[in-house]
Amino acid sequence: MKATVYVPRDSGALSLGAEAVATAVQAEARKRGQELQLIRNGSRGMYWLEPLLEVVTATGRVAYGPVSPSDVPGLFEAGFLQGASHPLHLGLTEAIPYFRKQERLASARVGVTDPTSLEDYCAYGGFRGLHNALSLSGEQIIQEVIESGLRGRGGAAFPTGIKWKTAFDTPSEQKYVVCNADEGDSGTFSDRMIMEGDPFILIEGMIIAGMAINATQGYIYLRSEYPHAFRVLNLAIEKAYEAGYLGKDVLGSTRTFHLEVRRGAGAYICGEETALLESLEGKRGMIRYRPPLPAVVGLFGKPTIINNVITLASVPIIFDKGAAFYKNYGVGRSRGTLPFQLAGNIKRGGLVEKAFGLTLRELLYDFGGGSFTGKPIRAVQIGGPLGAYLPESQFDVKLDYEALSGIQAMLGHGGVVAFDDTVDMAKMARFAMKFCAIESCGKCTPCRIGSTRGMEVIDKIIQNRNRNANLHLLRDLCDIMLNGSLCGLGGLIPNAVLSAMKHFPGDFGIRDVEKLSLA
Amino acid sequence: MSLRDNEDISSIVQALKHKPGALLPILHGVQEKLGYIPSEAVTIIANELNLTRAEVHGVVSFYHDFRSKPPGRHMVRICQAESCQAMGSVALTTFAKEHLGVDFHETTRDEAFSLEPVYCLGNCACSPAMMVDEEVYGRMTPQRFQKILLDVVGQRE
């Protein structure tokens, strides 16, 4: 009997040797005269189990992992093609608690399907949202997105429907849809997993966005650090053109939508939407003044929707299952789900898509299983390099936009990076300033110069040179950067520094937190 | 740079210059072909796109990816961002620099490897991460680093 085996081609799985496992599985099958269909899926997002091999059985897909090439003959010997027992046997993939406890919407197909198969995509509910949206007017599409409560998943959490409406209301012959796939925050990889593991969902979301505002051209601005995603996206776009989802007459609707992937070139600042537009226009990635908003004056001066990958990947679900279905997830003004990403010093790192409102502690311990090293988790940075560092006393915070801003933190793109008790927070604060110095576009002086001066001041604090005066100087410098920068790089990086000073004063030699008014 | 390189650059520019915002795709194309952006390329591109050389140079120098000098045969990029730091990337980097005998932005004497920092490879659940050419590697250790580099030289050269 022909067996079906899945081995991921997700770059995270590849980084742990999935390609060698796939080769070994095929070689061993040939050796045994076993007929085999090997499907290269995305990752299920349970990276501590990667490379995770799955086999289709009568009761469902059974998982084995982490598999190394040398395990493969033994797996065949044990009868893994029938789902038999083996030291690496994990049972049904979807019964693994980490996976079972999730609420996967945007990432529902990631790891399940063959990412480059249009047939697979459609068999698992793909393009149903687009078909529903085809019968709606631009206003109706936008109204549905507003009602869903969807907010931008890139970090700023701006209501998506309102952004679309602004672009809709601005008259222009030419409009654009741009996907911000410049996922540069440390600790984040959900965009990458979607693009590598289910690229058609992003394409579908962008087509719907194009129909909403009558845009005929879309661009995916992809960071150059993701070569695998670049290949998968281009392959998927090619297939979507062939099948009539993209091009001059989308599914016979007389609407036009073209889509192209453009690569960035290693500049973190190009994740900021106006710098991204400059870069797409072929210029240095210098940020622009706002207003005018990109929805009014965007790419090449035309009204432009810029949304993050996860935002656009959430759109097809809203049109497949309805705004009410989507809105039903979440708490308060944070509606829907977010694919959280567990990273850093954590035992079970990976993708956890859940409705807003679970606590950081649940994420770190129930899902993450505590630190990788087994030492206490001392600090957690949420929201990338611009996000605040939180101490253990704040681990019960609910993960939603409002609860985090209530403690001067931010959810950002949903990345959660854990550090054990060996971390030196003064060094992390210094790194924040260094990163800002390296990645500043240079437009605003507080960011361009202040970051370098900040690094020097933190060095002096670490060396205990005139420490008290320098702590006050650093406090003032952070204020100037916060208030004197146009965008979130210079304007938010002080959050990382100030939160480290406030919650971990001992690492800076701070005796009296009150005097620095860090609250 | 040879005459052949000049022709390569011109054909890349001709193929892409009709695109809106063509400069980055052109620079990527040139770097993929030649491994770097020679100063002669800046002149050719500027002429074809009706830009000044200063404008093109400004773009080349703005982005970390674009190089003005030929790199080694393999590009080794070690992630320096927070998640990898939480898993020991600082020690890994120190080891890599000593092992290769170079600092960041330098190339080994045998021109086999160029070492560059990178800020996030999106492999943060498998930190520390590095990239060699276009392949990502996770859960790096000094031992694994040595083995991967040996394999790369063995397989791809």
Side-chain angles (χ1 to χ4, degrees):
Chain A
M1 211 187 88
K2 192 169 183 176
T4 304
V5 173
Y6 288 83
V7 179
R9 193 177 264 152
D10 168 276
S11 60
L14 293 176
S15 85
L16 302 172
E19 197 58 42
V21 171
T23 311
V25 167
Q26 270 178 322
E28 189 67 21
R30 249 196 318 275
K31 205 167 114 193
R32 290 166 180 264
Q34 169 68 49
E35 255 199 288
L36 191 86
Q37 185 188 19
L38 182 69
I39 298 175
R40 305 303 300 272
N41 53 339
S43 170
R44 296 276 191 161
M46 299 181 279
Y47 281 104
W48 76 100
L49 298 175
E50 292 288 0
L52 182 88
L53 186 154
E54 289 178 87
V55 59
V56 177
T57 73
T59 49
R61 276 158 71 164
V62 175
Y64 297 83
V67 178
S68 72
S70 59
D71 296 321
V72 170
L75 282 164
F76 273 88
E77 205 52 49
F80 89 110
L81 292 178
Q82 288 75 46
S85 154
H86 182 277
L88 299 178
H89 179 266
L90 300 164
L92 292 172
T93 315
E94 287 173 12
I96 298 171
Y98 193 92
F99 192 87
R100 196 188 64 231
K101 287 190 291 184
Q102 298 194 30
E103 291 152 302
R104 289 199 164 198
L105 299 182
S107 62
R109 270 176 299 262
V110 176
V112 177
T113 56
D114 173 355
T116 59
S117 163
L118 201 53
E119 296 72 30
D120 254 18
Y121 184 66
C122 293
Y124 284 83
F127 286 122
R128 284 208 301 243
L130 175 62
H131 282 285
N132 292 339
L134 275 172
S135 62
L136 303 176
S137 68
E139 287 108 321
Q140 288 171 318
I141 291 174
I142 290 165
Q143 194 51 40
E144 192 78 3
V145 174
I146 291 174
E147 277 169 23
S148 74
L150 177 64
R151 291 162 70 182
R153 299 291 189 244
F158 188 81
T160 305
I162 304 296
K163 188 185 276 189
W164 290 18
K165 190 169 187 318
T166 309
F168 178 86
D169 287 338
T170 309
S172 175
E173 286 288 298
Q174 177 73 59
K175 298 181 184 182
Y176 295 101
V177 176
V178 173
C179 171
N180 183 345
D182 195 44
E183 184 178 52
D185 289 351
S186 175
T188 65
F189 45 85
S190 61
D191 292 354
R192 176 185 64 69
M193 288 187 67
I194 293 274
M195 293 185 287
E196 291 180 351
D198 192 20
F200 290 112
I201 198 172
L202 174 58
I203 295 171
E204 184 180 352
M206 290 186 75
I207 300 169
I208 296 172
M211 283 166 34
I213 62 160
N214 206 15
T216 54
Q217 176 69 50
Y219 290 102
I220 299 170
Y221 185 89
L222 176 70
R223 64 200 302 258
S224 61
E225 291 84 349
Y226 287 177
H228 291 280
F230 184 64
R231 280 193 288 272
V232 177
L233 281 171
N234 277 318
L235 195 60
I237 287 172
E238 197 182 309
K239 291 193 175 183
Y241 266 105
E242 280 168 17
Y245 291 100
L246 289 172
K248 273 199 174 142
D249 187 18
V250 175
L251 295 179
S253 65
T254 71
R255 304 184 203 227
T256 298
F257 195 71
H258 293 287
L259 186 55
E260 185 183 335
V261 185
R262 287 284 178 92
R263 270 178 302 170
Y268 175 79
I269 194 63
C270 291
E272 197 281 336
E273 61 180 11
T274 62
L276 186 157
L277 293 177
E278 290 287 306
S279 184
L280 262 182
E281 291 182 7
K283 302 175 194 155
R284 293 161 68 92
M286 307 280 287
I287 68 144
R288 296 177 182 171
Y289 291 96
R290 277 179 305 199
L293 295 167
V296 179
V297 181
L299 186 63
F300 303 112
K302 306 295 181 195
T304 303
I305 289 178
I306 309 183
N307 282 133
N308 168 258
V309 174
I310 302 293
T311 315
L312 290 162
S314 301
V315 167
I317 301 145
I318 293 165
F319 287 90
D320 178 14
K321 307 219 164 124
F325 170 86
Y326 192 78
K327 196 176 185 172
N328 210 19
Y329 291 91
V331 291
R333 287 173 50 224
S334 304
R335 309 312 308 185
T337 60
L338 186 71
F340 295 97
Q341 300 123 85
L342 262 177
N345 198 322
I346 195 90
K347 194 179 282 171
R348 298 193 293 261
L351 186 80
V352 179
E353 184 166 354
K354 283 288 278 181
F356 292 98
L358 82 162
T359 68
L360 178 57
R361 198 180 295 279
E362 287 174 75
L363 194 57
L364 291 171
Y365 292 96
D366 295 357
F367 284 95
S371 78
F372 179 84
T373 45
K375 295 176 174 174
I377 297 178
R378 181 166 184 244
V380 171
Q381 189 178 31
I382 308 182
L386 314 177
Y389 283 100
L390 305 184
E392 210 268 339
S393 61
Q394 294 188 324
F395 287 178
D396 291 310
V397 68
K398 275 201 162 60
L399 295 172
D400 69 66
Y401 297 123
E402 280 66 44
L404 279 167
S405 73
I407 56 164
Q408 290 86 47
M410 65 172 200
L411 197 43
H413 186 46
V416 173
V417 178
F419 295 81
D420 74 8
D421 62 1
T422 60
V423 68
D424 178 341
M425 294 308 296
K427 284 191 180 157
M428 297 318 295
R430 185 188 189 279
F431 175 77
M433 287 292 191
K434 181 184 171 189
F435 181 73
C436 186
I438 293 169
E439 298 297 342
S440 174
C441 80
K443 187 152 187 156
C444 312
T445 312
C447 173
R448 182 182 71 242
I449 308 279
S451 50
T452 299
R453 294 291 95 86
M455 213 161 42
E456 294 162 358
V457 172
I458 295 174
D459 278 338
K460 286 178 192 159
I461 291 167
I462 291 172
Q463 294 157 7
N464 199 9
R465 284 159 59 194
N466 205 1
R467 181 174 274 162
N468 206 31
N470 277 314
L471 282 166
H472 281 90
L473 193 60
L474 180 61
R475 178 75 187 85
D476 285 354
L477 177 64
C478 284
D479 264 347
I480 291 166
M481 289 174 72
L482 275 166
N483 297 307
S485 306
L486 283 169
C487 87
L489 181 51
L492 291 173
I493 212 105
N495 286 343
V497 177
L498 293 171
S499 62
M501 289 167 76
K502 179 180 169 187
H503 299 305
F504 307 92
D507 292 18
F508 295 81
I510 297 172
R511 293 224 186 94
D512 192 344
V513 179
E514 306 267 302
K515 274 194 182 152
L516 284 167
S517 49
L518 289 164
Chain B
M1 245 196 58
S2 66
L3 195 62
R4 174 77 187 280
D5 289 346
N6 262 320
E7 284 169 13
D8 283 341
I9 294 164
S10 292
S11 68
I12 289 164
V13 175
Q14 290 307 325
L16 296 170
K17 72 177 208 183
H18 68 280
K19 281 179 181 281
L23 186 51
L24 260 72
I26 288 172
L27 292 173
H28 274 300
V30 171
Q31 186 154 301
E32 257 157 46
K33 188 81 192 172
L34 304 178
Y36 71 114
I37 318 276
S39 58
E40 291 88 338
V42 172
T43 311
I44 297 170
I45 295 166
N47 284 338
E48 290 289 338
L49 295 186
N50 204 18
L51 296 168
T52 64
R53 277 191 298 147
E55 282 169 312
V56 178
H57 174 77
V59 171
V60 172
S61 59
F62 182 86
Y63 294 95
H64 299 307
D65 281 2
F66 297 133
R67 296 179 290 271
S68 298
K69 290 200 177 82
R73 292 189 292 284
H74 303 287
M75 184 60 68
V76 178
R77 302 198 283 177
I78 303 177
C79 181
Q80 304 295 304
E82 290 88 342
S83 174
C84 288
Q85 285 190 39
M87 290 296 283
S89 65
V90 174
L92 176 71
T93 304
T94 306
F95 174 84
K97 287 179 179 176
E98 278 173 17
H99 182 71
L100 294 173
V102 294
D103 205 341
F104 277 141
H105 315 296
E106 290 179 0
T107 300
T108 55
R109 283 172 81 181
D110 62 359
E111 296 184 346
F113 299 105
S114 289
L115 188 65
E116 291 287 335
V118 64
Y119 295 91
C120 198
L121 293 164
N123 198 26
C124 320
C126 314
S127 293
M130 77 163 183
M131 195 175 219
V132 181
D133 301 329
E134 294 214 324
E135 291 308 318
V136 189
Y137 299 89
R139 300 208 190 111
M140 291 301 302
T141 59
Q143 294 73 28
R144 205 161 129 70
F145 180 84
Q146 280 177 298
K147 185 177 181 310
I148 289 167
L149 261 52
L150 281 173
D151 286 352
V152 164
V153 172
Q155 282 164 17
R156 298 182 210 166
E157 291 200 351

